[in-house]
Amino acid sequence: MTTGKPPIVDQQTWRAALADVRRREKAATRELDAIAAARRRLPMVELPDYTLIGADGPARLADVFDGHTQLIAYHHMWTDGAEWQCGGCTWFTSQFTRLDFLDNYDARFVVITNGPIDEVLAYRDKVGNKMDWYSSSESSFGADVDAGPDEGFAVNTFLRDGDTVYRTWHTNGRGTEQLSHLFPLIDLLPYGRREEWLDSPEGWPAGPTYSGWPDSPDIARLYGKASQ
C-alpha cells in the first residue's frame, strides 16, 4: 500500500507553514499556563485518615508522602488474579524512572491500585516498574477518590498539613496525557499516532485505536526481571 507523504515545498513556504503552526502552539502553551494557574487556585477537601498497604506493610495516607507536603498518585487499573494488568496503565507508568527531582518541589509520585499488595508487588517486578506502589484494597480510598474497582485509571494530587491530608485535583481518561512524554513525542512525528480517529491527511497510515501501544507482556519483555 502506498503511504501518503507531506508535500515537498521550498524553504520559504515551509517556514511560513511552520510559523502558522507555531502561533497555535504558543497560544496552547499560554492556555496551559492559565489552566495551571486556575489549578493552583482550586479549593481542596479534607480526607479521612486512610490506611494503605505498601511494600513494608500498612501505612497511613499521610505517611505515603514520605515527609513531603505534596503527593501525585497514579491509580493503576487492576483485576485481581489476572496474569497481565491493563496494558495502557503498564505502558504509561513504565516511563517514570527518574523522579528524584520532585524532592526539590517537596513532592512525591507513587502508584496506587486496588489489588492485594502481594500481587501488586509481584506484578510491579514482573513488568520492571520502578515506582513505589501502594494498595488500597483494605480501605475505601480508591472509590472515594474516583479510582475504585472497575472505575478505570486516574490521577489525583494531595496536600499534607501535618497528619491531615487534602485532595486538591483529579483527572482521568486523556487528562492523564499531560503527565506523559509518550504521546507528545509520538504527536511530533509526521504520521502522529497513526490511529483511525485522528484528523490526518488522506493516505496517512491509520489503524485501530491503541494498535500501536505496547501491551503488558511487551513491557515485561523490555524491562521486567526476565529481561535483566
Side-chain angles (χ1 to χ4, degrees):
M1 185 180 80
T2 301
T3 300
K5 293 181 176 63
I8 300 172
V9 296
D10 58 59
Q11 283 279 356
Q12 184 177 359
T13 302
W14 178 80
R15 290 189 180 279
L18 178 64
D20 286 340
V21 172
R22 182 164 293 149
R23 278 190 288 271
R24 299 179 66 181
E25 290 172 341
K26 296 291 186 181
T29 298
R30 289 191 292 272
E31 176 61 14
L32 288 173
D33 287 343
I35 292 170
R39 191 183 296 119
R40 290 191 293 272
R41 288 166 173 77
L42 282 173
M44 59 186 184
V45 59
E46 182 176 345
L47 297 180
D49 188 15
Y50 294 105
T51 296
L52 305 182
I53 313 297
D56 298 323
R60 297 175 62 197
L61 178 58
D63 293 333
V64 174
F65 286 70
D66 195 27
H68 299 98
T69 60
Q70 301 174 103
L71 179 72
I72 303 168
Y74 181 86
H75 300 268
H76 196 294
M77 292 175 64
W78 191 268
T79 302
D80 288 356
E83 178 183 6
W84 299 107
Q85 300 298 333
C86 168
C89 290
T90 303
W91 177 41
F92 188 86
T93 57
S94 72
Q95 70 186 296
F96 301 113
T97 58
R98 297 178 177 176
L99 300 174
D100 294 337
F101 70 90
L102 287 174
D103 289 342
N104 294 341
Y105 297 89
D106 195 16
R108 189 185 188 202
F109 188 0
V110 301
V111 174
I112 301 177
T113 193
N114 296 297
I117 191 61
D118 290 346
E119 287 188 22
V120 166
L121 296 178
Y123 185 74
R124 180 196 65 182
D125 292 344
K126 181 166 70 170
V127 298
N129 192 281
K130 301 300 184 183
M131 296 186 68
D132 290 324
W133 287 51
Y134 291 85
S135 167
S136 58
S137 62
E138 298 183 21
S139 77
S140 63
F141 173 76
D144 294 346
V145 295
D146 302 295
D150 304 319
E151 286 187 347
F153 59 95
V155 174
N156 277 286
T157 59
F158 307 94
L159 183 70
R160 181 181 65 85
D161 183 4
D163 289 334
T164 303
V165 175
Y166 301 90
R167 186 186 185 196
T168 60
W169 179 76
H170 165 269
T171 194
N172 55 22
R174 293 193 64 199
T176 63
E177 290 184 11
Q178 65 183 291
L179 280 70
S180 172
H181 68 253
L182 302 175
F183 297 109
L185 281 176
I186 297 169
D187 287 341
L188 290 177
L189 298 173
Y191 293 134
R193 303 189 193 188
R194 299 189 300 182
E195 296 184 3
E196 56 195 4
W197 63 273
L198 292 171
D199 179 5
S200 296
E202 185 72 25
W204 257 230
T209 304
Y210 315 128
S211 57
W213 296 22
D215 203 354
S216 301
D218 301 315
I219 298 300
R221 185 170 58 253
L222 290 170
Y223 309 121
K225 277 190 170 181
S227 69
Q228 304 299 313

